[in-house]
Amino acid sequence: MAGYRKLGRTSNQRKALLRNQVTALLNNGKIRTTEAKAKEIRRIAEGLIALAVKEKDNYETVTVQAKVARKDKDGKRVKEDGKVVFDTVEKTIKKDNASRLHARRQMLKVLYAVTEIPADAAGRKAATKKVDLVDKLFTEIAPKYADRNGGYTRIVKIGQRKGDAAMEVLIELI
């Protein structure tokens, strides 16, 4: 007997479906799906959140020097003698420790890249922005659940779907 639900799909289709729905759940906070899918999504999502909670403070703050192109008042690069002028700037960055880096890479194996499109700029590619879901897990979601031992999601039954009478549920982050 399998330790998971097959959901009537081949393994690569099932993996893609679950990755897509886990990404949507963590990005939006809640999704509507069937009961069987929700129970599988819960297993994956809670594992990712538990990993983020465990590794949320496992980093060092480091000050580094970076070369940045000097810009004029219009935001264009300043050139002298045909070459771009660079200034040295000190930046403070978070440097992941080894276990947090490993956790980040484990999360990236599951989560898809998300592109957010603002409602007022629909149709313009330049207005889109990438959402870093792994960073969102570490900075927003993990601190919210730091004092909680599991049980990060809730499944609420909505009722039967009209077409095939499958039980529909709302899975959400608590």
Side-chain angles (χ1 to χ4, degrees):
M1 200 163 149
Y4 54 88
R5 291 167 183 83
K6 294 187 180 177
L7 304 174
R9 289 169 169 79
T10 61
S11 61
N12 58 350
Q13 291 173 341
R14 182 174 51 251
K15 186 186 283 188
L17 171 85
L18 294 174
R19 285 179 66 190
N20 192 3
Q21 294 213 335
V22 168
T23 301
L25 174 65
L26 295 175
N27 189 33
N28 301 323
K30 62 182 173 182
I31 58 172
R32 182 177 176 165
T33 186
T34 63
E35 188 174 15
K37 288 178 195 168
K39 287 179 180 179
E40 285 299 305
I41 293 164
R42 167 186 264 176
R43 289 176 60 183
I44 300 166
E46 292 205 1
L48 292 178
I49 295 170
L51 196 57
V53 167
K54 181 180 171 192
E55 299 292 339
K56 72 178 175 54
D57 295 326
N58 197 6
Y59 63 88
E60 308 172 1
T61 306
V62 181
T63 304
V64 295
Q65 292 185 347
K67 286 188 173 182
V68 179
R70 187 182 300 164
K71 296 186 179 179
D72 61 5
K73 63 180 181 185
D74 298 327
K76 296 187 177 183
R77 294 180 176 180
V78 175
K79 292 185 178 181
E80 290 180 7
D81 300 330
K83 295 183 180 179
V84 178
V85 180
F86 290 96
D87 294 328
T88 304
V89 179
E90 287 197 0
K91 291 184 176 181
T92 305
I93 60 169
K94 290 181 182 178
K95 182 181 174 194
D96 289 346
N97 289 340
S99 60
R100 180 173 162 134
L101 178 62
H102 179 66
R104 181 180 296 274
R105 289 180 176 163
Q106 293 295 103
M107 291 175 191
L108 286 170
K109 279 176 27 179
V110 176
L111 300 173
Y112 282 124
V114 176
T115 305
E116 205 168 75
I117 304 168
D120 58 329
R124 287 188 278 156
K125 190 173 184 179
T128 63
K129 66 176 185 175
K130 299 254 185 218
V131 177
D132 187 4
L133 269 184
V134 175
D135 190 51
K136 183 177 179 180
L137 266 167
F138 282 127
T139 58
E140 294 175 28
I141 297 174
K144 194 164 81 170
Y145 299 119
D147 58 337
R148 193 176 180 99
N149 296 326
Y152 309 118
T153 57
R154 173 188 303 138
I155 296 177
V156 180
K157 291 185 180 182
I158 298 173
Q160 292 183 325
R161 190 161 55 195
K162 188 171 183 175
D164 60 356
M167 180 57 74
E168 274 203 318
V169 297
L170 184 73
I171 181 169
E172 58 190 357
L173 298 174
I174 295 177

